[in-house]
């Protein structure tokens, strides 16, 4: 059994890591840290784990004396980079779920996160934790940075088109996200009476995930992010112009070529049916990212759509998938849950 | 125009008072206090008032120099009683929406609120702000205490039966409430990701509104309160045993007799249709309390049902209705909104 | 009192017309037709009207013998045009809420509705029922066609920019709508278990309201429509390129100039606060269309946002506002409800 | 691999059976019938199964020529009993999810279902599919009848108290259920705009599951059923009088004694925390039934609470658990999903 530890295990991403790793047949979680909850049971903040584990949180300072091979980091953006040197000494393999090592260019990081990157020398060591596009590198990488939830959906939806040269010009992304994306401490803005039924355009421009999609697709990306009524779930609608002469068939072929062997990407673009395009509603709890498209023959445009559960494929599930790749295990291990319908 | 002031105007009840009183043709709001928001526009925390008023909040200490005849109190339970002597000096008429002057017996208050009542001498001066049962007294009362939201629904559903001697024994109340009942500062328990889709039995016994229903009906009342998925809305299901020989027709007659001339109570007990029993969904924003019943001939029991919008009939709307009664205006003044369907 | 009749009064738009017109101090509803519900009370399908009216639906064939001056049509698209000649004989003034007389060009109608227009000779007689842009004509028009719900939000958000020449190139509209937009008979696709929590891209291209926005703004418009979790509510995000040299200040000025005297359009574009951009959540039941914007100085783009209640400003409320304009009454008459917060 | 078939596989329970049985390591689904969808892929009506199976529905008449050992019946109440003789010839083991063989007494069946039972001779052959109380019999039973969803929650909450003699007198059950309980064809009552946000008391008395709880607990049971805002999820609050001298400790002990070794029942009755009592929100997709209680020392009453996912533990999951018991497999096989938080 592989021994792993989780930093920041009391948050929502931490809880999903605990859920998935406890169900993983090749992994033992030896430590889950939380300064706030140290000494208390993990099934307090994560009540779905009742009956599955008697584990308690430990303080971050106990990690030094613990023995593990993989460290998952679910710590806040901006804080993680300053501590990364220390984390790297604790474990051979580090899988980071913060935003601090996602962007290759520290200047762009500074521009999107509003602070100077304090560990730019470490950035090149990190591989993007997206097996669909970086599987080979991930198989031998010991520093993995999991992309943001909306970025994962956007990259998986846009990159096949961008790589195949089927689209041109900028990409307009309309991203929608549920409330769990704001984390456990969402404050007054996250109070149910305010957040329920919201269509809150919280980032009309320059959401941080925009930079990740641009980086992964070599496109100018403009993204608008809206909080919608849901706890889990992300959906992106990406509008682009088709290159001259590109047909719907070409688009479909490019998607199929990119993802036909992927365990966690389904191409959904049907003519009929309620769920003919990707929708997060049926993905809750699953590690799928559904991608799809609709081509407007009239004016040569396409809308590329991606959907996922932000805490699974857009976070903890993506991290576990990378773990599976890194250790050469079947990629679906511990990630078999298919999602629910109706839900 | 009658000049009124509101204490605690930045909360949800305060916002409803502002909405209703701004739309009231005989009232001018001269002051709305909030220590936290003093100097800022009321349409900040109450964005539905944009375009309706340029009013700003003032600090509580400005009330002394203001000139008004009626003071609405939307201040917290337990704090209000200690300040009541001061409030009573500020205005001729005081309408209190806190829980502090609802219970006639300070012992019962202490038992339900967990603190000793610090102004028991003032309790007898207050009239219960429920026009359906205390209209005559309210017409000449200058101290009015508005009942709790679940209590209002429960009293209106149960009291006609209790008064007519149609039920006997204890009453079991199953109360359901939306998230706005917890107020603006609902804390981590009120975060959308935790509260959304909840069926949270937050008070299996001894909710404070239980004592109000018992007081108003002279019955032993056992109430269980559950937070349900809604922002606004309260529904109570009250189970009781019918007295010997009581028929469905008797129940219907008693309801009709009690409420046939009431402007804001509708008796809803139909054989068919989606909305054949009271449901808060169609009452949002309105001052109605719908009451209804279903009789089980088999075993001689009845379920009495009440539904309302907790911020309107269960709070600010009830207070405005009392104002109308007190000043001899048509009772519907400023309260005409009928509710929406679908919603 | 002006005498009015409503065709198609059992649907959701019909119900809102009944609610608003019953509350209108200058109007009497003399007939509300429904073939399916003829002879039954209007408060059956519209339970919020209980206690407000004892009216019953009548069959369509009774209209000939009724006496009224204004006829509201809430009949289906495609059916209305064939019957319009008959309707015009029944009343001096006809206000049509179907889609059949919104588009000036029958070719475009055919292209978007999939059928040939059967009464193209009548189209020129109709004035677009949007007082913000056609007030003068509406004041003397006896044929009024109310725009679609998403179209209303889109036109009010985009037209000031388009008219002032502040934007150039095509406009990408991301429209979101609640379930009531599908009407009473939404079928299996509208079942709660399927529609709840949906982010359903039901029209990636060529939604009919797209053509209306294009017509009103003289722009190429590409619209994607998504069904979201809400009963009422429409929000549009309209992405456009700013013309050279246009600043945020210019955008704000153009909005202010267009709407500063409008009773039902508020410009919402604040730097702070939860509701700093338009959101339908606080507009339920109200006749407001909130419009706003965010400018990206970086790349010279703007997102123009509109929000409204699809059954009120996007339907029945817009029709009542047009009635007020047509008859020279204060425009807010019968439309005073400000919306609710929280909700 | 055990070969199984499913009758009525296009409904919601059928879909859950397909999901669970496809993930079950010892089972092969050889036929899934649907007259309406025969010849079409199962991942049409069950889109969460995309990528998991290429299976198509078959007509019911193909079952005769198919080869399987276990038959799951997800056919409608009242229809199933008439066909049961035929079904029993098709497979050695039949697991019925309809209501037709749940009640031991055909008179009571007639009273609750409104029709005479047409196969009363078969009733005694069926074992109640509730392993917690009938494990030994189920291990050798070839006719299994799965209890209703609300009945399962109610029986698991009440029976330990009833059996231990800790409660006396009638039990008042307040049951709440999500919209998926109405099935795929919920009709106009199930339309999103009507069902969203509902607190619909659809059965104030004599819901069919009431009879099952009475049968299993030997108590007089009065149940009121309310449709609440949720797709999945059932919660029951069962109010009872404690027998003389019974303490909270006694109640806790009885629950622990009943369920301490149960894989799918957790006793949740904590003093603190958001999820201190059972709530279906965190059970979606899981096979748990959480049970809990709160004792009112004041008046010697108790509220017993049960919560589950109506399509899993209250339906398909319960059936798979019985299958595991019947074939001697570890009871958690295929049912490992722990549920999600937040959700």
């Amino acid at each position: 059994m592989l021994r792993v530890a989780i930093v920041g295990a009391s948050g929502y991403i931490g809880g999903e890591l605990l859920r998935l790793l406890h169900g993983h047949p090749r992994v033992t979680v030896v430590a889950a840290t939380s300064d706030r909850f140290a000494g208390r049971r993990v099934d307090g903040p994560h009540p779905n784990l009742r009956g599955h584990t008697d584990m308690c949180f430990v303080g971050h300072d106990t990690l030094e004396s613990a023995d593990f091979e993989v460290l998952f980091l679910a710590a806040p953006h901006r804080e993680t980079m300053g501590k990364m040197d220390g984390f790297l000494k604790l474990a051979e393999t580090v899988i980071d779920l913060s935003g601090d090592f996602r962007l290759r260019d520290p200047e762009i990081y500074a521009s999107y996160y509003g602070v100077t990157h304090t560990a730019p020398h470490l950035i090149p060591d990190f591989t993007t934790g997206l097996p669909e596009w970086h599987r080979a590198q991930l198989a031998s990488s010991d520093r993995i940075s999991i992309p943001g939830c909306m970025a994962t959906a956007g990259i998986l939806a846009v990159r096949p088109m961008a790589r195949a040269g089927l689209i041109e010009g900028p990409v307009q992304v309309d991203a929608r996200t549920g409330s769990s994306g704001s984390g456990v401490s969402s404050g007054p803005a996250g109070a149910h009476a305010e957040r329920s039924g919201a269509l809150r355009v919280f980032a009309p421009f320059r959401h941080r995930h925009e930079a990740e999609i641009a980086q992964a697709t070599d496109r100018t990306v403009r993204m608008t992010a809206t909080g919608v009524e849901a706890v889990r779930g992300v959906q992106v609608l990406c509008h682009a112009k088709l290159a001259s002469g590109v047909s719907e068939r070409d688009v479909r072929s490019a998607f199929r070529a990119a993802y036909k062997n992927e365990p966690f990407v389904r191409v959904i673009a049907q003519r009929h049916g309620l769920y003919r395009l990707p929708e997060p509603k049926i993905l809750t709890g699953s590690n799928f990212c559904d991608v799809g498209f609709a081509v407007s023959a009239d004016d040569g445009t396409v809308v590329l759509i991606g959907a996922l559960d932000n805490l699974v494929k857009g976070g903890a599930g993506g991290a576990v998938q990378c773990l599976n790749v890194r250790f050469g295990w079947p990629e679906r291990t511990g990630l078999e849950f298919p999602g629910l319908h109706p839900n």
Side-chain angles (χ1 to χ4, degrees), chain A:
Chain A
M1 300 289 275
L2 184 78
R3 297 167 65 85
V4 310
I6 303 167
V7 166
S10 66
Y12 289 155
I13 288 284
E16 279 299 83
L17 283 169
L18 279 167
R19 174 178 74 86
L20 293 170
L21 293 169
H22 265 101
H24 196 294
R26 296 174 183 257
V27 171
T28 305
V29 180
V30 298
T33 80
S34 165
D35 282 338
R36 191 174 152 217
F37 287 93
R40 287 153 70 182
R41 296 175 59 92
V42 300
D43 64 7
H46 308 308
N48 57 325
L49 301 183
R50 286 165 175 165
H52 293 271
T53 175
D54 290 315
M55 191 176 213
C56 289
F57 293 106
V58 295
H60 293 294
D61 50 5
T62 68
L63 284 183
E64 304 233 355
S65 55
D67 174 30
F68 50 86
E69 293 149 84
V70 179
L71 182 60
F72 289 89
L73 300 175
H77 306 325
R78 300 194 191 96
E79 281 183 39
T80 300
M81 56 185 173
K83 301 178 178 167
M84 186 56 84
D85 267 321
F87 288 139
L88 293 175
K89 287 176 192 139
L90 291 173
E92 247 172 87
T93 306
V94 168
I95 301 181
D96 179 27
L97 288 111
S98 87
D100 285 352
F101 296 90
R102 292 172 185 163
L103 298 173
R104 320 305 299 169
D105 182 340
E107 298 295 316
I108 294 178
Y109 179 90
S111 146
Y112 275 89
Y113 284 78
V115 295
T116 302
H117 202 293
T118 59
H121 60 289
L122 295 175
I123 296 176
D125 295 348
F126 277 83
T127 303
T128 299
L130 208 54
E132 291 79 5
W133 293 103
H134 307 282
R135 188 171 276 113
Q137 306 97 294
L138 286 168
S140 61
S141 175
D142 281 323
R143 279 108 182 82
I144 297 172
S145 170
I146 305 300
C149 53
M150 293 183 276
T152 297
I155 295 168
L156 291 173
V158 176
R159 187 159 155 144
M161 299 300 106
R163 300 268 289 191
L166 301 186
I167 54 172
E168 55 184 33
V171 179
Q172 173 71 47
V173 177
D174 257 295
R176 299 95 181 258
T177 178
S179 62
S180 63
S182 307
V184 162
S185 305
S186 55
H192 180 269
E194 305 295 341
R195 184 64 176 72
S196 169
L199 284 170
R200 189 180 295 165
V201 183
F202 66 97
F205 296 107
R206 295 193 65 72
H207 189 281
R208 299 184 299 244
H209 296 181
E210 173 184 289
E212 293 181 57
I213 305 175
Q215 171 179 279
T217 63
D218 270 322
R219 300 279 144 174
T220 298
V221 174
R222 296 186 194 113
M223 179 166 131
T224 297
T226 305
V228 298
E229 174 58 51
V231 172
R232 293 172 179 239
V234 155
Q235 187 190 49
V236 294
L237 272 56
C238 311
H239 304 279
K241 197 166 161 22
L242 289 171
S244 174
V246 172
S247 70
E248 181 173 336
R249 181 185 299 240
D250 299 330
V251 173
R252 192 176 294 271
S253 297
F255 268 115
R256 291 232 170 111
Y259 298 132
K260 66 173 179 290
N261 295 320
E262 284 302 328
F264 292 115
V265 181
R266 299 183 291 202
V267 182
I268 308 296
Q270 304 178 342
R271 300 225 173 272
H272 304 290
L274 246 50
Y275 298 90
R276 61 185 178 272
L277 289 168
E279 196 161 342
K281 177 180 158 72
I282 58 169
L283 301 175
T284 304
S286 93
N287 197 51
F288 286 103
C289 179
D290 282 353
V291 296
F293 59 88
V295 166
S296 172
D298 290 352
D299 65 355
T301 60
V302 66
V303 51
L304 307 165
I305 304 176
L308 49 72
D309 180 332
N310 53 304
L311 298 181
V312 189
K313 181 61 175 168
V320 171
Q321 189 183 351
C322 288
L323 181 83
N324 290 341
V325 172
R326 170 65 188 77
F327 288 88
W329 302 327
E331 220 161 305
R332 283 191 183 87
T333 312
L335 298 168
E336 294 87 353
F337 183 66
L340 297 170
H341 173 262
N343 187 31

